Amino acid sequence: MTINRGRVRWQCRRALLELDLVFARFLERDFDRLTDDQLADLDDLLRADDYDIWAMVNGSAECTVDRWKEMVGLLRQK
């Protein structure tokens, strides 16, 4: 099954401003280089609540889902 990159890119738009800014930077820097497996992991991560994603990205909560750890690491990069 192929994941629609356009749909995933659209889902990176978040209601939480801080997270939206993080995803904007990520989309510009890393999105086009993601493998299909990484894209699937990102698609799965995007189903989580914005506040949960933000907590993992800013380090106030640990990422406990192994599949998401690489994506959270990319999102943390400046």
Side-chain angles (χ1 to χ4, degrees):
M1 178 176 134
T2 303
I3 295 175
N4 182 315
R5 283 185 178 265
R7 180 183 56 78
V8 173
R9 180 181 287 276
W10 178 257
Q11 289 178 333
C12 286
R13 296 178 52 123
R14 309 309 283 194
L16 190 63
L17 177 61
E18 295 89 342
L19 195 54
D20 197 43
L21 294 171
V22 167
F23 272 108
R25 185 177 60 238
F26 166 79
L27 289 171
E28 184 177 315
R29 185 187 62 231
D30 296 314
F31 185 77
D32 291 332
R33 296 185 306 213
L34 296 179
T35 66
D36 289 342
D37 288 340
Q38 289 171 319
L39 190 64
D41 294 343
L42 176 59
D43 188 43
D44 190 45
L45 172 64
L46 290 169
R47 291 187 178 101
D49 180 76
D50 280 1
Y51 291 102
D52 293 336
I53 297 172
W54 177 240
M56 289 183 276
V57 170
N58 73 24
S60 63
E62 182 180 344
C63 179
T64 59
V65 179
D66 288 337
R67 290 186 59 192
W68 297 353
K69 288 181 180 181
E70 181 181 12
M71 288 300 106
V72 170
L74 289 174
L75 291 169
R76 285 181 177 168
Q77 292 179 2
K78 303 275 183 208

